[in-house]
Amino acid sequence: MLIVDSLVKSFGGLLAIDNLSFQVKEGIIHGVIGPNGAGKTTLINQLSGEIKPDSGTILFDEINITCMNVHLRSAIGLARSFQITNIFLDLTAHDNVALAVQAHAGHSFKFWKDARKDHKLRIHALEYLKQVGLEKRADFLAGQLSHGEHRQLEIAMALATRPKLLLLDEPTAGMGPKESSAMVEILKKLKGKLTILLIEHDMDVVFSLADKITVLVNGRNIITDKPEAIRNNHEVKVAYLGEENIDA
Amino acid sequence: MLGLAAVPLIADVIDEPFYTVMFSRMLILSIGAISLNLILGFGGMVSFGHAVYMGIGSYVVGIGTFHAIEDGISWMGNGLIHLTIAVVFSALTALFIGSISLRTRGVYFIMITLAFAQMFYFIAVGNDNYGGDDGLSLYTRSKFYNILDLSNDNSLYYLNFTLLIVFLYFSHRLINSRFGILIRGAKSNEKRMENIGFPVYRYRLVAFVIAGVICGIAGVLSANQTDFVSPAVMHWTRSGDLIIMVVLGGMGTLFGPVIGAVAFLFLEEFLSGITEFWQIIFGPMLVLIAIFGNGGIDGILVRLDKWWQIKK
């Protein structure tokens, strides 16, 4: 479904992504882990089109999307959530999701009818809020919601664009254990319905969700395998814990 | 609003037709400010060349009536034709300016819109056939068959008033429509809008064109009001005045631009009665509004209202 082939991206002298290749199979949750500065967010930004790679190709459903516009990627079924919460704080939760529904409900050259009374948008939006368990908070301004709820809202907005592939950039970042496990439950329910590329810092989250894991170190794919194999891999331990700690 | 409807009547009763003319100007500039507010207040596009469309509308009337009188081509004096041509030319100009300037952001957008405006200004200055720098006097106003006689200031006033109501209602519908929600979303978070799949650029461009067209219509009215057209209508300071009106009244509010335009002209009239250098007083007032009046005069009124409610 997603094929990343010899991707390179550098910022000035810093090589953030170094000849990276990996594949994501359809219908699974594919985790990407790596220590700080491994290039995880740089990778997701290239997949969603925020930044363009220096070289290499990205194929999505056999379409070359390496240099495609951000909004066109969304149109062919790619969605993402952001590590830093990126929603419309002055709109209600319901409005936020309705906006995402609107983006995929024909053109928006509609100048007259009140969009907030547009049942097509509102009903669908509510369904996505339910999927992430926010239906009771629908009429609250996004700015009034808690951090954990913001992240849930992010997921609802991404789902509302009806993606085939969902890119999640650290969905549990900054969450407490309780919120974090609620997020894991939401993602578990999505498993099988769509393909998810999950970039995550929290090992417990990745190992409880992912079917396959790619370990990124210094912008390189050092191993892609099943979770059990990753857990026992020597190179991964070195990358995370340092050589001395393992020996000790 | 209802008070504005009665202005010509009151002015006639107290025999001060000057007030009708002054308020007429307020209505026309309100329309101009409403159009700018659509892109500036709701869309976050700080166009520093919005007076261009005012100039286009004015020159359409000026040139039209000029030929109608000089060459006896009577259809060129027709008001409906003036309006149509003004709409077409404003739309094309806005399409041209917008398609280039909307590729930039922030200060660059401001500079490019300003540069285009100055370009049009100098085209008008250089055009000696139509008065060049000195401008063009209108010996007759736009003709609307026998239905509407604009040579009567009161008729013109009510035309302005009606159009103001129409555009106020139009902008109310627009900002709450799918299109309006999109434009407002793009103001607060353009990247996110792209990300959920909106091709933001083309929607912004259409908003830019709509604003240009409305301001072009205000230009047609303005030329009829002043009976005179000159390049000064599209000087960059006029664009600045429109921005001041929007900010003064309250950006991104429905009635803000109307309040702003009325307040601006009132202050101009009142302060210039006190001193020739009225801007010395006006400047600091603007600074105070900018610092303390979050949301302009409209914002202050809203807060006063809340405070009043709590007190009760």
Side-chain angles (χ1 to χ4, degrees), chain A residues 193-213:
Chain A
K193 288 183 194 162
L194 71 171
T195 315
I196 295 177
L197 183 77
L198 173 68
I199 288 189
E200 187 52 74
H201 212 77
D202 187 328
M203 289 298 157
D204 294 337
V205 172
V206 182
F207 282 105
S208 66
L209 283 170
D211 303 299
K212 225 169 196 190
I213 294 174

Side-chain angles (χ1 to χ4, degrees), chain A residues 56-74:
Chain A
T57 52
I58 305 167
L59 291 179
F60 172 65
D61 257 1
E62 285 154 21
I63 306 168
N64 186 345
I65 61 164
T66 315
C67 291
M68 193 184 255
N69 274 336
V70 175
H71 67 86
L72 290 176
R73 291 180 200 226
S74 172

Side-chain angles (χ1 to χ4, degrees), chain B residues 288-310:
Chain B
L288 288 178
I289 294 259
I291 295 175
F292 297 110
N294 184 13
I297 298 176
D298 190 88
I300 295 173
L301 290 177
V302 168
R303 264 173 284 151
L304 269 180
D305 188 57
K306 269 192 192 149
W307 177 74
W308 195 249
Q309 301 271 330
I310 293 167

Side-chain angles (χ1 to χ4, degrees), chain B residues 94-109:
Chain B
L95 195 64
F96 169 65
I97 297 179
S99 62
I100 295 168
S101 55
L102 284 171
R103 293 175 193 280
T104 63
R105 295 284 171 273
V107 177
Y108 301 100
F109 180 77

Side-chain angles (χ1 to χ4, degrees), chain B residues 175-225:
Chain B
I175 57 181
N176 290 306
S177 69
R178 284 193 186 195
F179 181 82
I181 299 272
L182 192 169
I183 291 296
R184 291 156 78 181
K187 178 195 174 186
S188 65
N189 196 338
E190 182 185 352
K191 269 218 172 127
R192 184 61 170 163
M193 293 299 278
E194 290 264 351
N195 226 291
I196 55 178
F198 286 115
V200 170
Y201 172 81
R202 66 182 80 144
Y203 289 103
R204 278 204 167 133
L205 184 56
V206 170
F208 197 82
V209 170
I210 291 174
V213 165
I214 296 177
C215 197
I217 294 172
V220 170
L221 300 174
S222 163
N224 277 295
Q225 180 64 58

Side-chain angles (χ1 to χ4, degrees), chain A:
Chain A
M1 155 153 262
L2 182 75
I3 301 168
V4 175
D5 186 26
S6 20
L7 205 63
V8 177
K9 178 75 198 178
S10 58
F11 297 105
L14 179 80
L15 198 57
I17 296 289
D18 182 7
N19 204 16
L20 173 69
S21 305
F22 70 99
Q23 296 192 11
V24 178
K25 291 218 178 71
E26 189 155 356
I28 68 165
I29 296 186
H30 191 120
V32 175
I33 59 171
N36 278 329
K40 299 189 297 286
T41 296
T42 309
L43 169 65
I44 212 170
N45 280 341
Q46 288 173 90
L47 296 179
S48 70
E50 255 86 30
I51 54 177
K52 303 273 181 275
D54 298 338
S55 68
T57 52
I58 305 167
L59 291 179
F60 172 65
D61 257 1
E62 285 154 21
I63 306 168
N64 186 345
I65 61 164
T66 315
C67 291
M68 193 184 255
N69 274 336
V70 175
H71 67 86
L72 290 176
R73 291 180 200 226
S74 172
I76 61 170
L78 207 73
R80 77 169 286 186
S81 77
F82 291 82
Q83 191 178 133
I84 302 156
T85 302
N86 204 344
I87 50 182
F88 301 96
L89 295 173
D90 48 352
L91 298 178
T92 67
H94 202 169
D95 289 341
N96 267 283
V97 185
L99 203 53
V101 176
Q102 185 188 327
H104 293 261
H107 66 80
S108 286
F109 289 111
K110 291 177 178 151
F111 304 100
W112 201 252
K113 259 174 53 190
D114 194 330
R116 289 203 177 86
K117 290 178 187 145
D118 198 327
H119 291 296
K120 277 184 217 151
L121 300 181
R122 307 306 284 186
I123 292 168
H124 283 124
L126 201 59
E127 280 167 18
Y128 294 111
L129 281 174
K130 269 184 198 151
Q131 282 194 31
V132 299
L134 274 183
E135 71 274 15
K136 286 189 183 125
R137 308 285 270 166
D139 294 324
F140 283 80
L141 287 179
Q144 296 172 319
L145 302 182
S146 72
H147 175 74
E149 287 169 329
H150 281 166
R151 309 311 302 265
Q152 284 163 266
L153 187 54
E154 278 264 350
I155 306 278
M157 286 176 78
L159 289 176
T161 67
R162 285 180 288 166
K164 290 187 236 164
L165 174 63
L166 182 57
L167 309 168
L168 297 175
D169 192 2
E170 300 202 15
T172 66
M175 281 185 174
K178 222 178 149 187
E179 288 177 315
S180 183
S181 61
M183 179 58 81
V184 170
E185 286 310 309
I186 291 167
L187 296 180
K188 267 188 184 154
K189 273 189 232 160
L190 294 175
K191 203 165 174 170
K193 288 183 194 162
L194 71 171
T195 315
I196 295 177
L197 183 77
L198 173 68
I199 288 189
E200 187 52 74
H201 212 77
D202 187 328
M203 289 298 157
D204 294 337
V205 172
V206 182
F207 282 105
S208 66
L209 283 170
D211 303 299
K212 225 169 196 190
I213 294 174
T214 293
V215 182
L216 211 60
V217 177
N218 294 329
R220 280 192 304 268
N221 172 5
I222 62 168
I223 180 173
T224 298
D225 212 331
K226 297 219 166 84
E228 311 83 67
I230 300 285
R231 222 190 276 269
N232 301 318
N233 184 284
H234 180 72
E235 272 185 88
V236 177
K237 283 183 186 163
V238 172
Y240 268 89
L241 303 168
E243 194 87 50
E244 307 85 21
N245 291 330
I246 291 177
D247 294 342

